[in-house]
Amino acid sequence: MRIISGTKRGKKILLPDPKITRPLKDNVKENIFNILIHSQDFKYKFEFNNSSILDVFAGSGSFGMECLSRGSNFCIFVENNNFTHNILFRNLSNNFDKKKFKIIKNNFFDVDFEYLIKKNNIKIIFFDPPYEMDNFDNAFNKITKVIEKFSEIFLIIHTKRDKKLVSHNLITLQERIYGISKIIFFQSKN
C-alpha cells in the first residue's frame, strides 16, 4: 500500500493486522479523490490546499495521509486500537512533520467531534468503521448530528452495509460500489 499522489507520492504505508483493520485499496482511494476533485454533484468544490481533515477509525491513516500529501494543512486521526495506533504513528512520523497531524487515541463515543470540527475548521470527515461494528447505527447518528450543524463539510463513509443510510439534514451526493466496499458522499444541507 502507498500514497498515490502529491508530495509524498509512492511512499509506502505500513499496514496493521488485517484481522483488526481493513485497508482502503489504492484504486478505491484514487476514485474517492477523483470524485472530490472533479464531481459536479457538490455544491462546494473541494480544495485540498489549506484544508483540515478528520480521519475517524483511521487504521493505517492512508486517507488522511493522502490528503496531507495533496496539500491539506492538518489532519486529525482517531484510532483506539493499541497496535493499530502504533502503526499509524509510525506511518505519520515517517512521512510528515508533527505539526501536520494529531492522533486521538480514544473510544469513538468519547470524542467531542463538534469541538474538533469547530476548532480545526474541518472540511472532510472520512468515517471508516469496522465492517462488523455492532453499534454502527449509533456511531453514524452521532457523527451526522454533528455535521448537520456545519456547512461546506463532506462526510465520506466506507462501508459494506446493504441498507440505505439516511440523515434528514444531509444530502447524499453519490454512492459508489467497489467490490464489497461502498463509498457514500454526504454534504450538509446548510
Side-chain angles (χ1 to χ4, degrees):
M1 189 175 210
R2 63 194 171 88
I3 298 174
I4 57 176
S5 188
T7 59
K8 301 294 181 177
R9 181 181 181 179
K11 293 281 188 179
K12 292 196 176 186
I13 298 171
L14 302 171
L15 296 177
D17 184 342
K19 293 175 190 160
I20 300 170
T21 64
R22 172 196 69 258
L24 189 62
K25 293 185 177 176
D26 285 351
N27 67 323
V28 176
K29 189 167 41 172
E30 191 164 359
N31 283 314
I32 290 171
F33 285 93
N34 284 336
I35 290 167
L36 278 173
I37 295 166
H38 302 295
S39 178
Q40 301 301 310
D41 290 345
F42 299 2
K43 64 181 179 181
Y44 303 103
K45 292 308 285 175
F46 190 77
E47 296 287 334
F48 286 97
N49 290 337
N50 304 319
S51 66
S52 294
I53 310 299
L54 180 57
D55 190 346
V56 183
F57 298 103
S60 67
S62 69
F63 181 83
M65 286 192 290
E66 191 69 40
C67 292
L68 291 171
S69 182
R70 291 170 184 252
S72 292
N73 274 353
F74 190 67
C75 186
I76 298 170
F77 298 84
V78 178
E79 178 54 58
N80 196 35
N81 179 276
N82 285 329
F83 178 74
T84 304
H85 177 271
N86 292 335
I87 296 288
L88 173 61
F89 179 77
R90 286 176 58 197
N91 280 334
L92 289 166
S93 298
N94 290 341
N95 291 297
F96 298 99
D97 186 295
K98 289 184 166 101
K99 294 176 186 171
K100 292 281 213 179
F101 64 88
K102 177 179 182 174
I103 302 173
I104 296 175
K105 186 177 181 294
N106 208 345
N107 181 291
F108 171 85
F109 293 101
D110 295 332
V111 175
D112 186 346
F113 289 105
E114 186 170 347
Y115 171 78
L116 287 177
I117 292 169
K118 277 183 187 173
K119 182 177 186 271
N120 298 285
N121 196 25
I122 299 294
K123 295 298 180 191
I124 291 181
I125 297 174
F126 185 66
F127 180 74
D128 192 8
Y131 278 173
E132 306 306 325
M133 183 177 186
D134 290 335
N135 49 0
F136 175 86
D137 290 339
N138 292 337
F140 177 72
N141 289 335
K142 175 180 171 134
I143 203 78
T144 56
K145 282 183 179 155
V146 171
I147 292 168
E148 289 169 359
K149 300 175 183 179
F150 300 92
S151 61
E152 292 189 50
I153 192 164
F154 299 107
L155 170 66
I156 305 166
I157 296 180
H158 183 209
T159 181
K160 72 171 186 178
R161 295 176 195 288
D162 294 328
K163 68 179 181 176
K164 182 87 172 157
L165 296 177
V166 177
S167 173
H168 299 296
N169 291 315
L170 297 180
I171 302 164
T172 303
L173 299 170
Q174 288 192 27
E175 273 189 29
R176 298 284 179 98
I177 306 290
Y178 303 98
I180 63 166
S181 296
K182 183 191 296 184
I183 306 295
I184 308 167
F185 294 83
F186 290 101
Q187 191 168 30
S188 174
K189 288 182 180 177
N190 295 331

